[in-house]
Amino acid sequence: MTSPTTRLMNTVAILEKLVSFDTTSRNPNVPLIEWVESWLDDHDVTYTRHRGPEDGKWNLHAILGPVEKGGLAFSGHVDCVPVEGQDWSRDPFVLTELDGKLYARGAADMKGFVAAMLAAIPTLQTLPLRKPVHLFFTFDEEITCNGARYLIEDVKSRDLMPDYCVIGEPSLLSPIIAHKGRFTVRSM
Ligand SMILES: [Zn+2]
């Protein structure tokens, strides 16, 4: 089992790589997805890639433990918001450490959680998993949330829905057990 220190070092190294991809929602996410797939390949993790309605945008679903429905999912979106018009004092696509904090576009929202998911894989693989641990990587959270919609349809169609899901959105490290909901009216 990797030590907490090694895991933290791995998480930061992975985050450095993840933020280097400009996955602003308008862009294809395929370069990042391919990098994650190579990480999963290196660790012999089972996964499937599923395309969205636009070229170059993909969801990824990895499974540790038994390949079946149920179990626990960890989910993170890999797109981020634009940097144009913002007063960045450093390159937003290079991870920078300052006063013990890590800065980059998407470092908190939410490639940090995605990095933690990937860094946890070696530890998860040492556990006798009787139920699956699903890892979801989605596109287009910041603009339409369509990535998650496509993912859910796909996972349902393969009869692999988890029982529970942890979404790693930043919440000042306070667990939030449900979304407050949202209602949108579109005028035609
Ligand atoms: Zn987010």
Side-chain angles (χ1 to χ4, degrees), residues 38-166:
S38 71
W39 175 271
L40 298 172
D41 286 335
D42 288 347
H43 293 82
D44 293 321
V45 178
T46 304
Y47 63 86
T48 48
R49 191 209 274 206
H50 302 275
R51 61 162 293 148
E54 292 176 57
D55 285 343
K57 289 190 179 178
W58 298 82
N59 287 323
L60 206 56
H61 176 195
I63 301 185
L64 298 149
V67 179
E68 59 188 39
K69 66 181 174 183
L72 174 65
F74 295 98
S75 183
H77 65 81
V78 296
D79 62 315
C80 52
V81 295
V83 297
E84 286 82 5
Q86 299 167 4
D87 190 17
W88 283 80
S89 58
R90 51 184 75 86
D91 186 337
F93 299 105
V94 175
L95 192 68
T96 306
E97 184 173 355
L98 199 66
D99 297 332
K101 294 182 178 176
L102 298 168
Y103 294 87
R105 169 53 80 228
D109 186 8
M110 60 186 283
K111 291 175 176 175
F113 185 76
V114 172
M117 285 161 60
L118 292 170
I121 285 173
T123 302
L124 290 168
Q125 287 174 318
T126 66
L127 304 176
L129 297 173
R130 291 193 302 274
K131 294 199 168 190
V133 173
H134 306 257
L135 304 179
F136 296 144
F137 308 86
T138 63
F139 61 87
D140 277 7
E141 191 270 350
E142 299 289 5
I143 46 176
T144 59
C145 292
N146 274 342
R149 291 191 181 98
Y150 276 80
L151 180 91
I152 290 167
E153 288 309 308
D154 169 66
V155 173
K156 272 186 189 165
S157 73
R158 289 180 295 126
D159 197 23
L160 289 173
M161 282 293 276
D163 290 326
Y164 305 97
C165 186
V166 175

Side-chain angles (χ1 to χ4, degrees), residues 10-31:
N10 289 345
T11 305
V12 175
I14 295 167
L15 180 59
E16 192 170 19
K17 188 70 191 174
L18 293 177
V19 301
S20 74
F21 296 101
D22 179 0
T23 52
T24 305
S25 304
R26 60 172 179 258
N27 294 335
N29 70 358
V30 70

